[in-house]
Amino acid sequence: MTAQAVAREEVVRAPAWSPAWISQRLQKVLLHVVVIGLTAAWMVPAIALFTSSFRHFEDINSTGWWTALAPPFKFTVDNYAKVLSSGNLGHSIFNSFMISIPATVIPTTIAAFAAYAFAWMKFPGRNYLFLALVALLAVPLQLTFVPVLKTYVSVGLVPQNWGFVGVWLAHAGYGLPFAVYLLANFFRALPSDLFESAEIDGAGTLTVFFRIVLPLSVPAIASLVIFQFLWVWNDLLVALIYVGGTENVAPVTVTLANLSNSLGQGWHLLTAAAFLSMIIPLVVFISLQRYFVRGILAGSVKG
Amino acid sequence: MASVTYDHVVKRYTADVTVVKDFNVEIKDKEFMVLVGPSGCGKSTALRMLAGLEQISEGRILIGDRMVNNVAAKDRDIAMVFQSYALYPHMSVYDNMAFPLQMQHMKKSEIDTRVRNASRILGLDNFLKRKPRALSGGQRQRVALGRAIVRSPKVFLLDEPLSNLDAKLRGQTRVELQKLHRDLQTTFIYVTHDQVEAMTMGDRIAIMNAGILQQVGTPGEIYDHPANLFVAGFIGTPTMNFVPASVSDSTAKASGFEVELPKSLPSGKGTLGFRPEAVTDRVAEGSPQFEMKVDVVERLGSDQFLYGQVGGDQVTARVDPRMAVAPGDRVKLGLDTRSMHFFDAESEQALL
Ligand SMILES: Nc1ncnc2c1ncn2[C@@H]1O[C@H](COP(=O)(O)OP(=O)(O)OP(=O)(O)O)[C@@H](O)[C@H]1O
Ligand SMILES: [Mg+2]
């Protein structure tokens, strides 16, 4: 691919300072400016948060965060120390993991099985079921709170008895339509020859799923895991509804919201807390992104 | 090892889409049968019904004496090589070949022996650890073959396995496949749209057109005695000459010449067919001859093809390469009456 790209560039390269050359250069520069601009616009709040979290309380209140980037440098880790020791942020992070991991694993697992059925198994009503599922994508979440909560209460599925099970199931439900949709489309794009070949080779449905479909779908599953994990980790509304704000069960998002009420004046601590909650999804993303290997199908069928 | 029988097999997708019509053929044990026909004629469908990848709408398919209509693909004891090869991209060459054996829960040591044996036959020893994407087209094709032969199936099915290879490799692999067939002593059913592959590889050839089986026979039979106009035109390059003619008794009269046929036919109109090599520059005494106005001359070294007009008809002649001709010339050519064909105007069936 690289060789081709190089070759293509070679072909279209115009002589220096000709009009075509200038317009090509301009296009390139413009492209870079736009990309860098967008990236910067997206990064600024995060950088501001990051910088502020290392500043002293008085500085935060008196000057803008950018002044910290010029000498004299006066950074501190006090904010982090205070947040981690005093508040119950540590416990909230633990709660967030307790919620996010099952709330990612459950829907991803169910979705993988369901998507395989939708993509490669023939059963009556398949297309209508799939359509109904896609239609669920359009249902606003808020609409479901009252009926779902009522049902939970009536069957006793409340945090006091069942811990996080209720919120796991809720997140699984909210995540499934998109997850199934994404995976089914990916599975469908796998070459049908592979399935037929496996069938002749004697592989049953489950063997095909575990030995062929799953290994080939690692990129799709990795992106799904990232999406779902980020969504659950950053979610405040669903957690507030199904878990509540009680200290021992509240996830990071809920605790942060509470902090910003109680620490209205002390938002130097808030910056540190917020950054801590941001760093985890970032780590998840970076550690999973190497699975987005492109061209994983290369070599299977003539392309 | 087994014979294969198609008994009045029909494949219908919907009520009015029938892609294989009343298909009857018996493939003998250890035979190399080639199924050939133009694109879209239903040859892959016929093969896929045998493989168990496609339901049979009507009729029966037997492998040996066993009817397999309702037997699952994996229980038919067949192996198939796909046009796309369909290798498992995430598995090494070794695992690709071991996969069908693992599915049979074979012992590890036995799997190893078989895979190594197949890789030796196919010259894949140095590639066993590689993934398919790190192989050339020809090597991938051999892995696909390897995956089929490790199983020692009763019947081998191959659906245009050479069509993704370049011309030279295709020629080589053609020879290798024939050798493989000899060594394995197994029934091969080979689908192709290439008549050269069909003629060179098949013990017998089955020719299909538009879902209908046209003729089954050895390459020689099909070349020398095509059953109808389609078969006559499909096999042979350049194609057979077809000129409209009318017969009375045993004389056929075309626009530019007259020939005496070896036997008398019911009088009427039809198509006279003769291959380019039946036309010769050595005009024999008493044999039919005609004058050709040459349009194009093609010299291939060993052969020389003349394309031109005889009377009102387009005719191709294969003549001695040393004959000096130029486009625009009028040349006198003779006709070998031993290999004349005559096709009925209505049914297009061969009468001669
Ligand atoms: N699912 C289907 N529904 C309806 N028609 C189909 C379906 N699958 C195949 N066909 C038709 O069946 C006919 C035969 O297809 P088949 O694949 O057997 O052709 P083929 O002879 O193998 O051609 P090729 O040489 O191009 O591979 C084609 O005309 C095709 O359009
Ligand atoms: Mg085909």
Side-chain angles (χ1 to χ4, degrees):
Chain A
M1 190 225 106
T2 355
Q4 264 171 7
V6 169
R8 202 168 38 234
E9 219 161 278
E10 221 67 78
V11 172
V12 297
R13 181 169 293 162
W17 298 110
S18 68
W21 184 84
I22 292 174
S23 95
Q24 266 179 25
R25 271 295 149 103
L26 269 180
Q27 276 177 20
K28 231 185 211 168
V29 169
L30 205 68
L31 184 74
H32 281 112
V33 168
V34 170
V35 169
I36 292 170
L38 280 177
T39 314
W42 243 260
M43 292 284 293
V44 164
I47 294 171
L49 186 71
F50 183 65
T51 325
S52 299
S53 68
F54 289 103
R55 299 182 73 203
H56 292 286
F57 178 60
E58 312 80 57
D59 296 342
I60 293 184
N61 279 337
S62 54
T63 55
W65 62 270
W66 52 89
T67 50
L69 297 179
F73 297 109
K74 297 191 294 176
F75 290 124
T76 170
V77 290
D78 269 7
N79 300 339
Y80 285 91
K82 255 189 222 148
V83 160
L84 283 175
S85 62
S86 72
N88 50 358
L89 196 74
H91 191 66
S92 311
I93 289 179
F94 172 76
N95 285 340
S96 271
F97 274 115
M98 283 299 291
I99 293 173
S100 301
I101 292 173
T104 303
V105 172
I106 296 171
T108 307
T109 311
I110 299 176
F113 281 103
Y116 178 52
F118 278 123
W120 289 103
M121 290 167 75
K122 293 195 178 86
F123 54 89
R126 178 175 74 166
N127 292 339
Y128 292 103
L129 261 174
F130 192 68
L131 213 65
L133 190 99
V134 173
L136 284 180
L137 281 170
V139 176
L141 193 86
Q142 293 82 347
L143 213 65
T144 65
F145 289 158
V146 174
V148 172
L149 257 188
K150 267 190 175 165
T151 315
Y152 273 13
V153 170
S154 72
V155 301
L157 192 66
V158 287
Q160 293 86 320
N161 305 336
W162 288 87
F164 293 126
V165 172
V167 73
W168 292 344
L169 291 184
H171 273 304
Y174 297 137
L176 266 176
F178 177 71
V180 175
Y181 178 71
L182 180 95
L183 289 184
N185 282 338
F186 190 89
F187 292 171
R188 231 175 249 147
L190 295 172
S192 63
D193 279 2
L194 284 184
F195 292 83
E196 293 180 340
S197 176
E199 190 182 338
I200 292 179
D201 282 347
T205 310
L206 274 183
T207 316
V208 172
F209 179 72
F210 283 112
R211 300 234 6 216
I212 294 172
V213 175
L214 279 193
L216 291 179
S217 305
V218 170
I221 291 171
S223 31
L224 183 63
V225 165
I226 289 178
F227 275 132
Q228 180 71 10
F229 185 87
L230 289 190
W231 151 252
V232 175
W233 185 272
N234 291 327
D235 156 78
L236 171 66
L237 191 56
V238 176
L240 215 49
I241 301 279
Y242 294 102
V243 184
T246 335
E247 258 186 26
N248 60 329
V249 289
V252 168
T253 43
V254 173
T255 309
L256 274 181
N258 292 344
L259 272 182
S260 66
N261 290 336
S262 60
L263 293 180
Q265 296 307 311
W267 63 288
H268 56 300
L269 299 182
L270 208 54
T271 54
F275 194 77
L276 277 178
S277 89
M278 264 175 58
I279 197 81
I280 283 140
L282 221 64
V283 168
V284 170
F285 182 82
I286 290 167
S287 57
L288 279 183
Q289 74 139 6
R290 70 196 175 90
Y291 289 106
F292 297 105
V293 196
R294 255 189 265 170
I296 196 161
L297 277 175
S300 151
V301 295
K302 174 94 177 176
Chain B
M1 278 158 278
S3 62
V4 170
T5 311
Y6 283 87
D7 182 19
H8 296 285
V9 172
V10 174
K11 176 66 193 181
R12 230 178 263 119
Y13 279 111
T14 57
D16 51 352
V17 181
T18 309
V19 298
V20 174
K21 295 164 197 161
D22 196 30
F23 194 73
N24 287 295
V25 70
E26 254 180 74
I27 298 149
K28 297 189 213 103
D29 186 18
K30 298 180 193 170
E31 189 170 29
F32 198 125
M33 174 63 97
V34 177
L35 205 53
V36 68
S39 186
C41 71
K43 18 184 222 308
S44 292
T45 310
L47 196 73
R48 291 163 55 82
M49 282 191 282
L50 173 57
L53 298 173
E54 214 75 72
Q55 281 292 320
I56 300 162
S57 310
E58 263 176 50
R60 307 183 306 155
I61 293 182
L62 291 88
I63 298 178
D65 299 325
R66 172 171 173 235
M67 180 169 105
V68 293
N69 285 34
N70 297 314
V71 177
K74 66 185 167 79
D75 300 323
R76 294 190 185 194
D77 204 1
I78 42 138
M80 182 156 167
V81 177
F82 292 79
Q83 178 175 357
S84 65
Y85 313 146
L87 301 180
Y88 309 122
H90 55 297
M91 297 184 198
S92 66
V93 167
Y94 184 98
D95 289 336
N96 261 284
M97 292 202 274
F99 186 78
L101 303 179
Q102 289 166 353
M103 292 302 112
Q104 298 173 4
H105 305 289
M106 197 177 270
K107 275 216 295 287
K108 267 222 168 67
S109 56
E110 171 72 10
I111 293 180
D112 194 64
T113 324
R114 288 203 187 197
V115 170
R116 292 198 185 275
N117 193 24
S119 91
R120 207 188 51 246
I121 295 174
L122 296 166
L124 288 169
D125 286 340
N126 295 329
F127 309 112
L128 287 176
K129 290 213 177 68
R130 290 209 203 158
K131 295 273 169 67
R133 73 170 149 271
L135 298 177
S136 73
Q139 290 158 350
R140 286 179 202 172
Q141 203 266 348
R142 274 182 280 154
V143 178
L145 277 175
R147 193 171 60 184
I149 67 179
V150 286
R151 299 174 53 187
S152 330
K154 281 200 190 117
V155 185
F156 260 92
L157 311 181
L158 302 102
D159 192 351
E160 311 209 19
L162 306 188
S163 56
N164 285 335
L165 303 180
D166 65 39
K168 183 156 174 256
L169 201 53
R170 206 178 309 160
Q172 258 172 25
T173 317
R174 220 156 60 199
V175 177
E176 276 169 25
L177 269 177
Q178 282 167 281
K179 193 166 151 283
L180 198 64
H181 173 244
R182 247 197 335 272
D183 294 346
L184 295 176
Q185 295 279 319
T186 309
T187 315
F188 271 51
I189 304 178
Y190 184 101
V191 165
T192 178
H193 60 257
D194 179 2
Q195 49 134 335
V196 178
E197 278 175 28
M199 292 295 284
T200 53
M201 299 175 80
D203 292 331
R204 283 196 302 158
I205 303 176
I207 301 190
M208 282 182 84
N209 186 32
I212 299 168
L213 185 64
Q214 306 287 321
Q215 187 175 2
V216 185
T218 63
E221 280 165 14
I222 291 202
Y223 192 81
D224 294 332
H225 305 287
N228 58 38
L229 202 61
F230 173 82
V231 175
F234 187 78
I235 297 288
T237 35
T239 48
M240 189 185 275
N241 294 301
F242 294 120
V243 297
S246 54
V247 204
S248 65
D249 202 21
S250 66
T251 313
K253 199 166 160 29
S255 62
F257 59 98
E258 251 185 44
V259 286
E260 198 65 25
L261 300 175
K263 70 173 193 189
S264 63
L265 296 174
S267 36
K269 287 193 183 308
T271 305
L272 185 68
F274 51 96
R275 298 208 180 267
E277 62 263 31
V279 185
T280 160
D281 50 319
R282 257 164 274 166
V283 184
E285 197 60 36
S287 75
Q289 41 183 274
F290 50 70
E291 199 182 60
M292 180 191 215
K293 185 178 161 292
V294 179
D295 296 326
V296 176
V297 178
E298 244 178 42
R299 270 193 197 90
L300 299 176
S302 59
D303 281 309
Q304 174 163 244
F305 293 107
L306 309 181
Y307 300 86
Q309 308 283 331
V310 173
D313 304 305
Q314 187 73 35
V315 167
T316 307
R318 177 176 159 194
V319 296
D320 194 290
R322 282 159 302 189
M323 179 185 181
V325 213
D329 288 359
R330 285 176 177 279
V331 290
K332 213 169 212 24
L333 297 171
L335 199 55
D336 183 350
T337 50
R338 284 169 305 179
S339 47
M340 300 301 277
H341 306 274
F342 193 79
F343 303 96
D344 187 76
E346 283 288 307
S347 67
E348 301 192 342
Q349 293 300 312
L351 302 175
L352 184 70

